[in-house]
PDB file of all heavy atoms in Angstrom:
ATOM      1  N   LEU A   1     115.154 105.129 118.231  1.00 98.00           N
ATOM      2  CA  LEU A   1     116.001 104.400 119.118  1.00 98.00           C
ATOM      3  C   LEU A   1     115.312 104.392 120.443  1.00 98.00           C
ATOM      4  O   LEU A   1     114.930 105.400 120.992  1.00 98.00           O
ATOM      5  CB  LEU A   1     117.427 104.973 119.288  1.00 98.00           C
ATOM      6  CG  LEU A   1     118.300 104.365 120.286  1.00 98.00           C
ATOM      7  CD1 LEU A   1     118.664 102.951 119.896  1.00 98.00           C
ATOM      8  CD2 LEU A   1     119.601 105.127 120.406  1.00 98.00           C
ATOM      9  N   VAL A   2     115.046 103.177 120.983  1.00 98.00           N
ATOM     10  CA  VAL A   2     114.345 103.053 122.202  1.00 98.00           C
ATOM     11  C   VAL A   2     115.123 102.186 123.166  1.00 98.00           C
ATOM     12  O   VAL A   2     116.025 101.493 122.757  1.00 98.00           O
ATOM     13  CB  VAL A   2     112.879 102.409 121.949  1.00 98.00           C
ATOM     14  CG1 VAL A   2     112.126 103.371 121.175  1.00 98.00           C
ATOM     15  CG2 VAL A   2     112.996 101.098 121.293  1.00 98.00           C
ATOM     16  N   PRO A   3     114.773 102.268 124.486  1.00 98.00           N
ATOM     17  CA  PRO A   3     115.477 101.380 125.445  1.00 98.00           C
ATOM     18  C   PRO A   3     115.382  99.883 125.058  1.00 98.00           C
ATOM     19  O   PRO A   3     114.419  99.446 124.435  1.00 98.00           O
ATOM     20  CB  PRO A   3     114.826 101.636 126.777  1.00 98.00           C
ATOM     21  CG  PRO A   3     114.253 103.009 126.623  1.00 98.00           C
ATOM     22  CD  PRO A   3     113.768 103.150 125.171  1.00 98.00           C
ATOM     23  N   GLN A   4     116.336  99.107 125.559  1.00 98.00           N
ATOM     24  CA  GLN A   4     116.323  97.643 125.229  1.00 98.00           C
ATOM     25  C   GLN A   4     114.971  96.996 125.607  1.00 98.00           C
ATOM     26  O   GLN A   4     114.374  97.249 126.672  1.00 98.00           O
ATOM     27  CB  GLN A   4     117.468  96.973 126.018  1.00 98.00           C
ATOM     28  CG  GLN A   4     117.727  95.521 125.602  1.00 98.00           C
ATOM     29  CD  GLN A   4     119.093  94.976 126.152  1.00 98.00           C
ATOM     30  OE1 GLN A   4     119.930  95.791 126.387  1.00 98.00           O
ATOM     31  NE2 GLN A   4     119.139  93.736 126.236  1.00 98.00           N
ATOM     32  N   GLY A   5     114.539  96.134 124.726  1.00 97.00           N
ATOM     33  CA  GLY A   5     113.325  95.456 124.940  1.00 97.00           C
ATOM     34  C   GLY A   5     112.080  96.191 124.479  1.00 97.00           C
ATOM     35  O   GLY A   5     110.909  95.619 124.549  1.00 97.00           O
ATOM     36  N   GLN A   6     112.162  97.390 123.974  1.00 98.00           N
ATOM     37  CA  GLN A   6     111.024  98.124 123.612  1.00 98.00           C
ATOM     38  C   GLN A   6     110.817  98.395 122.153  1.00 98.00           C
ATOM     39  O   GLN A   6     109.916  99.117 121.667  1.00 98.00           O
ATOM     40  CB  GLN A   6     111.024  99.556 124.334  1.00 98.00           C
ATOM     41  CG  GLN A   6     110.965  99.461 125.846  1.00 98.00           C
ATOM     42  CD  GLN A   6     110.910 100.789 126.573  1.00 98.00           C
ATOM     43  OE1 GLN A   6     110.559 101.807 125.975  1.00 98.00           O
ATOM     44  NE2 GLN A   6     111.431 100.834 127.817  1.00 98.00           N
ATOM     45  N   ALA A   7     111.604  97.792 121.311  1.00 98.00           N
ATOM     46  CA  ALA A   7     111.529  98.060 119.840  1.00 98.00           C
ATOM     47  C   ALA A   7     110.239  97.552 119.278  1.00 98.00           C
ATOM     48  O   ALA A   7     109.610  98.270 118.470  1.00 98.00           O
ATOM     49  CB  ALA A   7     112.703  97.347 119.138  1.00 98.00           C
ATOM     50  N   PHE A   8     109.816  96.370 119.684  1.00 98.00           N
ATOM     51  CA  PHE A   8     108.532  95.877 119.143  1.00 98.00           C
ATOM     52  C   PHE A   8     107.405  96.712 119.522  1.00 98.00           C
ATOM     53  O   PHE A   8     106.474  97.053 118.678  1.00 98.00           O
ATOM     54  CB  PHE A   8     108.311  94.408 119.596  1.00 98.00           C
ATOM     55  CG  PHE A   8     106.984  93.883 119.123  1.00 98.00           C
ATOM     56  CD1 PHE A   8     106.871  93.418 117.854  1.00 98.00           C
ATOM     57  CD2 PHE A   8     105.887  93.907 119.955  1.00 98.00           C
ATOM     58  CE1 PHE A   8     105.565  92.971 117.329  1.00 98.00           C
ATOM     59  CE2 PHE A   8     104.599  93.454 119.487  1.00 98.00           C
ATOM     60  CZ  PHE A   8     104.485  92.913 118.224  1.00 98.00           C
ATOM     61  N   ASP A   9     107.296  97.069 120.745  1.00 98.00           N
ATOM     62  CA  ASP A   9     106.153  97.921 121.216  1.00 98.00           C
ATOM     63  C   ASP A   9     106.064  99.287 120.458  1.00 98.00           C
ATOM     64  O   ASP A   9     104.990  99.743 119.990  1.00 98.00           O
ATOM     65  CB  ASP A   9     106.233  98.252 122.702  1.00 98.00           C
ATOM     66  CG  ASP A   9     105.952  96.939 123.583  1.00 98.00           C
ATOM     67  OD1 ASP A   9     105.321  95.968 123.021  1.00 98.00           O
ATOM     68  OD2 ASP A   9     106.323  96.981 124.716  1.00 98.00           O
ATOM     69  N   LYS A  10     107.273  99.907 120.189  1.00 98.00           N
ATOM     70  CA  LYS A  10     107.290 101.185 119.537  1.00 98.00           C
ATOM     71  C   LYS A  10     106.964 100.897 118.046  1.00 98.00           C
ATOM     72  O   LYS A  10     106.164 101.677 117.471  1.00 98.00           O
ATOM     73  CB  LYS A  10     108.745 101.770 119.592  1.00 98.00           C
ATOM     74  CG  LYS A  10     108.791 103.108 118.909  1.00 98.00           C
ATOM     75  CD  LYS A  10     107.962 104.165 119.508  1.00 98.00           C
ATOM     76  CE  LYS A  10     108.124 105.555 118.913  1.00 98.00           C
ATOM     77  NZ  LYS A  10     107.288 106.559 119.433  1.00 98.00           N
ATOM     78  N   ALA A  11     107.424  99.825 117.441  1.00 98.00           N
ATOM     79  CA  ALA A  11     107.129  99.567 116.039  1.00 98.00           C
ATOM     80  C   ALA A  11     105.618  99.337 115.892  1.00 98.00           C
ATOM     81  O   ALA A  11     105.025  99.766 114.872  1.00 98.00           O
ATOM     82  CB  ALA A  11     107.900  98.335 115.621  1.00 98.00           C
ATOM     83  N   LEU A  12     105.060  98.622 116.783  1.00 98.00           N
ATOM     84  CA  LEU A  12     103.616  98.332 116.750  1.00 98.00           C
ATOM     85  C   LEU A  12     102.756  99.609 116.903  1.00 98.00           C
ATOM     86  O   LEU A  12     101.799  99.796 116.188  1.00 98.00           O
ATOM     87  CB  LEU A  12     103.192  97.317 117.854  1.00 98.00           C
ATOM     88  CG  LEU A  12     101.779  96.867 117.805  1.00 98.00           C
ATOM     89  CD1 LEU A  12     101.387  96.151 116.449  1.00 98.00           C
ATOM     90  CD2 LEU A  12     101.429  95.870 118.953  1.00 98.00           C
ATOM     91  N   GLU A  13     103.240 100.524 117.813  1.00 98.00           N
ATOM     92  CA  GLU A  13     102.597 101.780 117.967  1.00 98.00           C
ATOM     93  C   GLU A  13     102.563 102.615 116.640  1.00 98.00           C
ATOM     94  O   GLU A  13     101.597 103.139 116.234  1.00 98.00           O
ATOM     95  CB  GLU A  13     103.318 102.574 119.056  1.00 98.00           C
ATOM     96  CG  GLU A  13     102.792 104.033 119.240  1.00 98.00           C
ATOM     97  CD  GLU A  13     103.805 104.824 120.011  1.00 98.00           C
ATOM     98  OE1 GLU A  13     104.478 104.342 120.976  1.00 98.00           O
ATOM     99  OE2 GLU A  13     103.916 106.064 119.721  1.00 98.00           O
ATOM    100  N   LEU A  14     103.820 102.615 116.055  1.00 98.00           N
ATOM    101  CA  LEU A  14     103.926 103.361 114.813  1.00 98.00           C
ATOM    102  C   LEU A  14     103.091 102.777 113.716  1.00 98.00           C
ATOM    103  O   LEU A  14     102.467 103.440 112.916  1.00 98.00           O
ATOM    104  CB  LEU A  14     105.354 103.478 114.316  1.00 98.00           C
ATOM    105  CG  LEU A  14     106.296 104.232 115.284  1.00 98.00           C
ATOM    106  CD1 LEU A  14     107.759 104.020 114.876  1.00 98.00           C
ATOM    107  CD2 LEU A  14     106.019 105.706 115.193  1.00 98.00           C
ATOM    108  N   ALA A  15     103.127 101.381 113.603  1.00 98.00           N
ATOM    109  CA  ALA A  15     102.366 100.644 112.506  1.00 98.00           C
ATOM    110  C   ALA A  15     100.834 100.915 112.711  1.00 98.00           C
ATOM    111  O   ALA A  15     100.146 101.152 111.689  1.00 98.00           O
ATOM    112  CB  ALA A  15     102.615  99.232 112.563  1.00 98.00           C
ATOM    113  N   SER A  16     100.434 100.945 113.995  1.00 98.00           N
ATOM    114  CA  SER A  16      99.007 101.259 114.197  1.00 98.00           C
ATOM    115  C   SER A  16      98.620 102.622 113.743  1.00 98.00           C
ATOM    116  O   SER A  16      97.540 102.884 113.239  1.00 98.00           O
ATOM    117  CB  SER A  16      98.693 101.007 115.724  1.00 98.00           C
ATOM    118  OG  SER A  16      98.933  99.718 116.131  1.00 98.00           O
ATOM    119  N   ARG A  17      99.472 103.584 113.923  1.00 97.00           N
ATOM    120  CA  ARG A  17      99.209 104.959 113.518  1.00 97.00           C
ATOM    121  C   ARG A  17      99.311 105.002 111.940  1.00 97.00           C
ATOM    122  O   ARG A  17      98.436 105.609 111.434  1.00 97.00           O
ATOM    123  CB  ARG A  17     100.336 105.959 114.117  1.00 97.00           C
ATOM    124  CG  ARG A  17     100.118 107.379 113.935  1.00 97.00           C
ATOM    125  CD  ARG A  17     101.283 108.179 114.373  1.00 97.00           C
ATOM    126  NE  ARG A  17     101.646 107.761 115.758  1.00 97.00           N
ATOM    127  CZ  ARG A  17     102.794 108.239 116.364  1.00 97.00           C
ATOM    128  NH1 ARG A  17     103.582 108.981 115.680  1.00 97.00           N
ATOM    129  NH2 ARG A  17     103.091 107.797 117.539  1.00 97.00           N
ATOM    130  N   VAL A  18     100.258 104.377 111.330  1.00 98.00           N
ATOM    131  CA  VAL A  18     100.359 104.374 109.911  1.00 98.00           C
ATOM    132  C   VAL A  18      99.140 103.762 109.208  1.00 98.00           C
ATOM    133  O   VAL A  18      98.651 104.161 108.216  1.00 98.00           O
ATOM    134  CB  VAL A  18     101.662 103.658 109.504  1.00 98.00           C
ATOM    135  CG1 VAL A  18     101.683 103.356 108.041  1.00 98.00           C
ATOM    136  CG2 VAL A  18     102.900 104.505 109.894  1.00 98.00           C
ATOM    137  N   ALA A  19      98.631 102.703 109.917  1.00 97.00           N
ATOM    138  CA  ALA A  19      97.464 101.989 109.385  1.00 97.00           C
ATOM    139  C   ALA A  19      96.218 102.877 109.317  1.00 97.00           C
ATOM    140  O   ALA A  19      95.318 102.531 108.579  1.00 97.00           O
ATOM    141  CB  ALA A  19      97.173 100.761 110.173  1.00 97.00           C
ATOM    142  N   GLU A  20      96.176 103.907 110.029  1.00 95.00           N
ATOM    143  CA  GLU A  20      95.057 104.870 109.981  1.00 95.00           C
ATOM    144  C   GLU A  20      95.142 105.849 108.850  1.00 95.00           C
ATOM    145  O   GLU A  20      94.086 106.530 108.655  1.00 95.00           O
ATOM    146  CB  GLU A  20      94.968 105.662 111.358  1.00 95.00           C
ATOM    147  CG  GLU A  20      94.714 104.709 112.570  1.00 95.00           C
ATOM    148  CD  GLU A  20      94.756 105.512 113.932  1.00 95.00           C
ATOM    149  OE1 GLU A  20      95.071 106.679 113.894  1.00 95.00           O
ATOM    150  OE2 GLU A  20      94.541 104.922 114.939  1.00 95.00           O
ATOM    151  N   ASN A  21      96.201 105.977 108.177  1.00 94.00           N
ATOM    152  CA  ASN A  21      96.363 106.933 107.061  1.00 94.00           C
ATOM    153  C   ASN A  21      95.487 106.465 105.927  1.00 94.00           C
ATOM    154  O   ASN A  21      95.065 105.307 105.800  1.00 94.00           O
ATOM    155  CB  ASN A  21      97.765 106.890 106.576  1.00 94.00           C
ATOM    156  CG  ASN A  21      98.762 107.579 107.521  1.00 94.00           C
ATOM    157  OD1 ASN A  21      98.303 108.226 108.596  1.00 94.00           O
ATOM    158  ND2 ASN A  21     100.060 107.237 107.390  1.00 94.00           N
ATOM    159  N   ALA A  22      95.215 107.349 104.957  1.00 92.00           N
ATOM    160  CA  ALA A  22      94.530 106.953 103.760  1.00 92.00           C
ATOM    161  C   ALA A  22      95.367 105.995 103.001  1.00 92.00           C
ATOM    162  O   ALA A  22      96.554 106.260 102.770  1.00 92.00           O
ATOM    163  CB  ALA A  22      94.238 108.240 102.941  1.00 92.00           C
ATOM    164  N   PRO A  23      94.786 104.906 102.581  1.00 92.00           N
ATOM    165  CA  PRO A  23      95.656 103.842 101.932  1.00 92.00           C
ATOM    166  C   PRO A  23      96.346 104.346 100.747  1.00 92.00           C
ATOM    167  O   PRO A  23      97.540 103.918 100.448  1.00 92.00           O
ATOM    168  CB  PRO A  23      94.572 102.781 101.528  1.00 92.00           C
ATOM    169  CG  PRO A  23      93.468 102.994 102.544  1.00 92.00           C
ATOM    170  CD  PRO A  23      93.438 104.433 102.735  1.00 92.00           C
ATOM    171  N   LEU A  24      95.766 105.216  99.910  1.00 92.00           N
ATOM    172  CA  LEU A  24      96.335 105.695  98.676  1.00 92.00           C
ATOM    173  C   LEU A  24      97.644 106.528  98.975  1.00 92.00           C
ATOM    174  O   LEU A  24      98.629 106.563  98.286  1.00 92.00           O
ATOM    175  CB  LEU A  24      95.435 106.539  97.818  1.00 92.00           C
ATOM    176  CG  LEU A  24      95.752 106.673  96.372  1.00 92.00           C
ATOM    177  CD1 LEU A  24      96.231 105.404  95.666  1.00 92.00           C
ATOM    178  CD2 LEU A  24      94.686 107.370  95.564  1.00 92.00           C
ATOM    179  N   THR A  25      97.446 107.349 100.093  1.00 94.00           N
ATOM    180  CA  THR A  25      98.673 108.111 100.554  1.00 94.00           C
ATOM    181  C   THR A  25      99.807 107.247 100.925  1.00 94.00           C
ATOM    182  O   THR A  25     100.973 107.447 100.593  1.00 94.00           O
ATOM    183  CB  THR A  25      98.240 109.065 101.639  1.00 94.00           C
ATOM    184  OG1 THR A  25      97.244 110.026 101.227  1.00 94.00           O
ATOM    185  CG2 THR A  25      99.456 109.935 102.104  1.00 94.00           C
ATOM    186  N   ASN A  26      99.492 106.199 101.707  1.00 96.00           N
ATOM    187  CA  ASN A  26     100.537 105.307 102.084  1.00 96.00           C
ATOM    188  C   ASN A  26     101.187 104.601 100.842  1.00 96.00           C
ATOM    189  O   ASN A  26     102.416 104.461 100.783  1.00 96.00           O
ATOM    190  CB  ASN A  26      99.944 104.169 103.018  1.00 96.00           C
ATOM    191  CG  ASN A  26      99.822 104.590 104.486  1.00 96.00           C
ATOM    192  OD1 ASN A  26     100.401 105.651 104.837  1.00 96.00           O
ATOM    193  ND2 ASN A  26      99.165 103.768 105.238  1.00 96.00           N
ATOM    194  N   TYR A  27     100.317 104.248  99.893  1.00 95.00           N
ATOM    195  CA  TYR A  27     100.845 103.666  98.709  1.00 95.00           C
ATOM    196  C   TYR A  27     101.772 104.581  97.944  1.00 95.00           C
ATOM    197  O   TYR A  27     102.833 104.209  97.441  1.00 95.00           O
ATOM    198  CB  TYR A  27      99.678 103.204  97.744  1.00 95.00           C
ATOM    199  CG  TYR A  27     100.088 102.306  96.694  1.00 95.00           C
ATOM    200  CD1 TYR A  27     100.233 100.977  96.845  1.00 95.00           C
ATOM    201  CD2 TYR A  27     100.373 102.907  95.381  1.00 95.00           C
ATOM    202  CE1 TYR A  27     100.550 100.168  95.646  1.00 95.00           C
ATOM    203  CE2 TYR A  27     100.798 102.167  94.291  1.00 95.00           C
ATOM    204  CZ  TYR A  27     100.932 100.764  94.443  1.00 95.00           C
ATOM    205  OH  TYR A  27     101.255  99.989  93.359  1.00 95.00           O
ATOM    206  N   ALA A  28     101.385 105.852  97.802  1.00 95.00           N
ATOM    207  CA  ALA A  28     102.271 106.868  97.195  1.00 95.00           C
ATOM    208  C   ALA A  28     103.578 107.027  97.879  1.00 95.00           C
ATOM    209  O   ALA A  28     104.592 107.117  97.265  1.00 95.00           O
ATOM    210  CB  ALA A  28     101.466 108.214  97.163  1.00 95.00           C
ATOM    211  N   LEU A  29     103.547 107.025  99.192  1.00 96.00           N
ATOM    212  CA  LEU A  29     104.793 107.180  99.951  1.00 96.00           C
ATOM    213  C   LEU A  29     105.714 106.015  99.748  1.00 96.00           C
ATOM    214  O   LEU A  29     106.930 106.090  99.641  1.00 96.00           O
ATOM    215  CB  LEU A  29     104.528 107.389 101.444  1.00 96.00           C
ATOM    216  CG  LEU A  29     103.832 108.715 101.827  1.00 96.00           C
ATOM    217  CD1 LEU A  29     103.355 108.664 103.257  1.00 96.00           C
ATOM    218  CD2 LEU A  29     104.898 109.815 101.585  1.00 96.00           C
ATOM    219  N   MET A  30     105.121 104.835  99.608  1.00 97.00           N
ATOM    220  CA  MET A  30     105.937 103.622  99.458  1.00 97.00           C
ATOM    221  C   MET A  30     106.433 103.432  97.987  1.00 97.00           C
ATOM    222  O   MET A  30     107.677 103.006  97.826  1.00 97.00           O
ATOM    223  CB  MET A  30     105.090 102.343  99.747  1.00 97.00           C
ATOM    224  CG  MET A  30     104.660 102.178 101.155  1.00 97.00           C
ATOM    225  SD  MET A  30     103.275 101.000 101.291  1.00 97.00           S
ATOM    226  CE  MET A  30     104.036  99.537 100.547  1.00 97.00           C
ATOM    227  N   HIS A  31     105.610 103.708  97.010  1.00 96.00           N
ATOM    228  CA  HIS A  31     105.904 103.480  95.662  1.00 96.00           C
ATOM    229  C   HIS A  31     106.402 104.676  94.824  1.00 96.00           C
ATOM    230  O   HIS A  31     107.170 104.544  93.964  1.00 96.00           O
ATOM    231  CB  HIS A  31     104.736 102.780  94.947  1.00 96.00           C
ATOM    232  CG  HIS A  31     104.426 101.470  95.427  1.00 96.00           C
ATOM    233  ND1 HIS A  31     104.729 100.319  94.723  1.00 96.00           N
ATOM    234  CD2 HIS A  31     103.796 100.993  96.577  1.00 96.00           C
ATOM    235  CE1 HIS A  31     104.384  99.249  95.374  1.00 96.00           C
ATOM    236  NE2 HIS A  31     103.772  99.647  96.488  1.00 96.00           N
TER     237      HIS A  31
END
């Protein structure tokens, strides 16, 4: 939960961090 107007920036920050993970680990967490 972030202040109004900041959801996209926080989501992009998290997605950029997630994108650095090992792809197979991300796949395992999703599937």
Side-chain angles (χ1 to χ4, degrees):
L1 178 62
V2 296
Q4 187 166 341
Q6 296 183 24
F8 176 80
D9 291 341
K10 181 64 176 179
L12 184 61
E13 173 198 327
L14 292 170
S16 299
R17 189 185 311 170
V18 167
E20 295 176 357
N21 294 340
L24 194 54
T25 298
N26 279 350
Y27 190 86
L29 290 168
M30 295 164 56
H31 290 259

